């Protein structure tokens, strides 16, 4: 029943739309009712970068209106956010930028009420040394991969 903000890659946005349809829900109607915001991860990421790094000011200009808007449109309800921007950076071997973006989300949590779920693929394209760095920014890490669970 809470509003949702999804910042994901196009295939995952399509999967979310499909899952909603399977449950008899329309992503278009949910968006019109201000219950769902679907954003492209790479496009959104491009808005908050300054050079190669996430910029705190651009992050706030880009993300805060989305979180505040979803909450305000739903009588101040807690927003459920799902993001893959860190994963996009991590896959591009930009661990420092990914870690900075994690810190910006954590900082935002001090001033805004939302719950954030981050999606990361755990395939072999990742540098294993970076797993601890990225996961250290989270209060919980859940995996469906035995190797990743051991690392995280």
């Amino acid at each position: 029943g809470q509003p949702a903000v999804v910042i994901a890659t196009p295939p995952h946005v399509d999967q979310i739309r499909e899952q909603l349809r399977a449950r008899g829900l329309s992503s278009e109607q949910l968006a019109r009712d201000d219950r769902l915001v679907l954003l492209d991860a790479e496009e959104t990421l491009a808005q908050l970068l300054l050079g190669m790094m996430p910029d705190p000011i651009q992050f706030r200009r880009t993300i805060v209106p989305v979180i505040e808007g979803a909450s305000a449109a739903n009588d101040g309800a807690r927003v459920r956010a799902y993001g893959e921007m860190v994963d996009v950076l991590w896959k591009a071997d930009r661990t420092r930028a990914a870690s900075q973006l994690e810190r910006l989300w954590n900082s935002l949590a001090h001033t805004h009420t939302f719950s954030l779920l981050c999606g990361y693929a755990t395939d072999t394209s990742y540098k294993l040394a970076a797993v601890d760095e990225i996961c250290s920014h989270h209060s919980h890490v859940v995996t469906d991969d035995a190797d990743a669970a051991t690392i995280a």
Side-chain angles (χ1 to χ4, degrees):
Q2 295 171 318
V5 172
V6 175
I7 308 172
T9 58
H12 291 147
V13 168
D14 291 343
Q15 288 175 348
I16 289 167
R17 285 187 173 122
E18 184 178 313
Q19 289 296 315
L20 289 169
R21 257 191 311 277
R23 289 168 173 76
L25 299 168
S26 162
S27 60
E28 293 81 9
Q29 185 61 50
L30 289 168
R32 283 191 295 276
D33 293 342
D34 294 318
R35 308 281 304 154
L36 176 65
V37 177
L38 296 171
L39 299 172
D40 180 276
E42 290 191 22
E43 290 174 7
T44 305
L45 185 59
Q47 293 176 37
L48 54 90
L49 293 178
L50 184 59
M52 298 296 284
M53 293 294 288
D55 177 69
I57 294 170
Q58 288 304 111
F59 175 82
R60 292 187 75 76
R61 285 182 182 156
T62 303
I63 301 300
V64 168
V66 176
I67 299 294
E68 287 180 348
S71 179
N74 291 278
D75 298 320
R78 180 184 195 93
V79 174
R80 298 272 182 175
Y82 170 79
E84 296 180 346
M85 293 186 295
V86 170
D87 191 53
V88 168
L89 291 168
W90 197 14
K91 284 181 177 177
D93 199 25
R94 295 174 58 196
T95 306
R96 217 173 109 241
S99 187
Q100 169 68 5
L101 185 52
E102 289 283 10
R103 284 190 292 278
L104 292 172
W105 276 108
N106 288 342
S107 176
L108 186 62
H110 294 292
T111 59
H112 290 76
T113 302
F114 62 92
S115 59
L116 176 64
L117 300 173
C118 301
Y120 308 115
T122 56
D123 61 24
T124 57
S125 67
Y126 288 103
K127 297 201 177 339
L128 296 180
V131 172
D132 289 336
E133 169 63 21
I134 297 300
C135 291
S136 71
H137 296 283
H138 296 280
S139 62
H140 297 79
V141 177
V142 178
T143 69
D144 63 359
D145 179 307
D147 292 334
T150 302
I151 296 165

